[in-house]
Amino acid sequence: MTSVQRSILLSAADRYGGVILIFFATAVLSRLLSPAEFGVFAVVNAIAAVLTASFQEFGGANYLIQKDELSSEDVRSAFTVTLGISLGIAGLLFALGGPLSHWYAEHELKRGLEVTSLNFLLAPFSGTISALLRRELKFGALATYNLASSAGGVVVSIGLAMAGFSYMAPIWGGVAGSIILTAMLLARQQGVGALLRPSLSGYREVVSFGLYSSGVSVINVFYNLAPQLFLGKILDFMSLGLYSRAINLTQMFDKLVSRVLDPVIMPAIVERRKAGEDLKTIYLNSIGLLSAVQWPFMIFIALMAEPIISIWLGQSWLEIVPLVRLLCIASMALFAACLSYPMLVAVGSVRDALISSMISVPPSVLVVLGASFFGVQAVAASTLLTLPFQAAVAIYFIGRHLRLRLAEVALALMKSSIVAATTATGVAGCAALTTAGVLSSPFGLALSLSVGALGWWLGLALTNHPLLHHVHRTAAGLARFAPRLLSRSAL
């Protein structure tokens, strides 16, 4: 098993463990909190996420990872810049609590925003150390710390929700998780006092990279959260809560696959670039592999949305089924989204990543804003236009540097389209039987999982898809790696 494969495996353990915890917490909290309470939490979370994006990548993780030769002065400069920005944002968020509460006509927002600002005081410490661990491909340690902090946050969230803390329960849970993560990372890092001592000796390089990096992050995060910001103001918090739950289910692929790969993609591409490998070949192979997983996954969620929501969230959330289906269909355009930024950084054009976002995101935000006046389903339907447009712009900019032709992209995706079709055929039958009442929701979902997996594997085998080879090789590597991992854990 190569270092990259081992890193992906450990990153998967981290992310899948986190997804299980979030899945459990969401199922419990959905029965303890109302859609309106979820709506208040969603607005707080959206505002905090936009502000987080403005400094998280500003000389932070990606700068530390992509730099060929990293000195202690580079680390200290990146930490200092991030710390200064995060302190400013924490103060800004605390001060804006009152005005934003008044603007949304929801006084409960103020307390939520004030408590959330505590996370910004911790993020520079945890973010810097996590980036160094990612640079060194130490995903085993990261998985341990992330899972422990997530578990702590879930316990606090559920406990406070049961105690009647309403929308503040998950907010305090997030703060608790941040405290746990930061404490463990600081305890692990040797010489942390010297490493994180403030310094501005290399701030120019940090800021130069961060201007583009954080710009890309802010623009894209704002678009992703724009519906929640608009719906909370234009419609009501119940509509916002419903859309927030629909997005959570639709983004399950990101949580299960994309976020597993995200920590590994940048270091892996940089490493292969240094080795002289052809980035065009890497990109075409990668989109073929990603689409063979993402397309069948989205089709499955769209077809089986009703039983999934009924079992996971409860009958009271079934009105989000049409939203989930629209969002899943639109999200199929984002099969290569996790590659766009790392590829443009790898070719030395982080500036193009920002230009790409500046071209595609503002018109998309305007479309979402206009759709907000027509209801939550119109917002979901608007993604059928905005997401394919954003994907096309990103691929165009990557293609300029890699000299991609449309025919090459289509050829790389051809086998995946067949895999998606073979997966959908059986799942559609199970969905029809479940909707007609012939199968119960639990049995129909279990049967569709089995039939879908069989159809997916059949599609891979019929097309001799490259992913089949990777699945076999990874399974063999896992069989060899797991016993050693368990023996180390026992020691």
Side-chain angles (χ1 to χ4, degrees), residues 36-37 39-41 43-44 47 93-94 96-115 165-168 171 232-233 237:
E37 288 173 315
V40 176
F41 167 68
V43 169
V44 172
I47 294 171
L93 186 61
F94 191 91
L96 288 177
L100 287 172
S101 297
H102 179 72
W103 191 70
Y104 275 101
E106 180 58 68
H107 70 279
E108 294 174 328
L109 278 179
K110 182 176 185 296
R111 186 158 56 116
L113 292 170
E114 290 173 350
V115 172
F165 275 65
S166 184
Y167 70 95
M168 287 299 299
I171 293 175
K233 175 63 178 177
F237 281 89

Side-chain angles (χ1 to χ4, degrees), residues 416-469:
S416 296
S417 63
I418 297 174
V419 173
T422 58
T423 304
T425 302
V427 175
C430 294
L433 293 174
T434 304
T435 302
V438 177
L439 302 176
S440 66
S441 291
F443 184 74
L445 182 58
L447 181 62
S448 66
L449 281 169
S450 301
V451 172
L454 180 61
W456 181 70
W457 180 86
L458 181 63
L460 293 177
L462 287 175
T463 61
N464 192 27
H465 200 286
L467 180 61
L468 190 63
H469 171 67

Side-chain angles (χ1 to χ4, degrees), residues 75 93 122 178 193 215 221 262 289 300 339:
V75 177
L93 186 61
L122 302 169
S178 296
V221 169
D262 280 346
L289 297 175
F300 177 86
L339 293 171

Side-chain angles (χ1 to χ4, degrees), residues 289-339:
L289 297 175
L290 285 168
S291 58
V293 180
Q294 197 250 19
W295 287 350
F297 187 95
M298 288 300 177
I299 290 172
F300 177 86
I301 296 295
L303 291 172
M304 300 303 297
E306 186 171 341
I308 291 173
I309 293 166
S310 176
I311 295 169
W312 182 29
L313 302 178
Q315 295 288 324
S316 62
W317 293 87
L318 283 177
E319 57 187 302
I320 71 173
V321 169
L323 309 181
V324 170
R325 287 174 173 159
L326 288 168
L327 291 168
C328 281
I329 295 171
S331 296
M332 290 177 66
L334 302 181
F335 59 90
C338 63
L339 293 171

Side-chain angles (χ1 to χ4, degrees), residues 3 7 12 29 38 42 47 100-101 144 151 166 206 224 249 283 290 307 320 323 330 339 341 353 442 467 470:
S3 61
S7 298
L29 291 173
F38 263 114
I47 294 171
L100 287 172
S101 297
T144 301
S166 184
V206 175
N224 289 331
L249 179 55
Y283 182 77
L290 285 168
I320 71 173
L323 309 181
L339 293 171
Y341 180 76
L467 180 61
H470 286 275

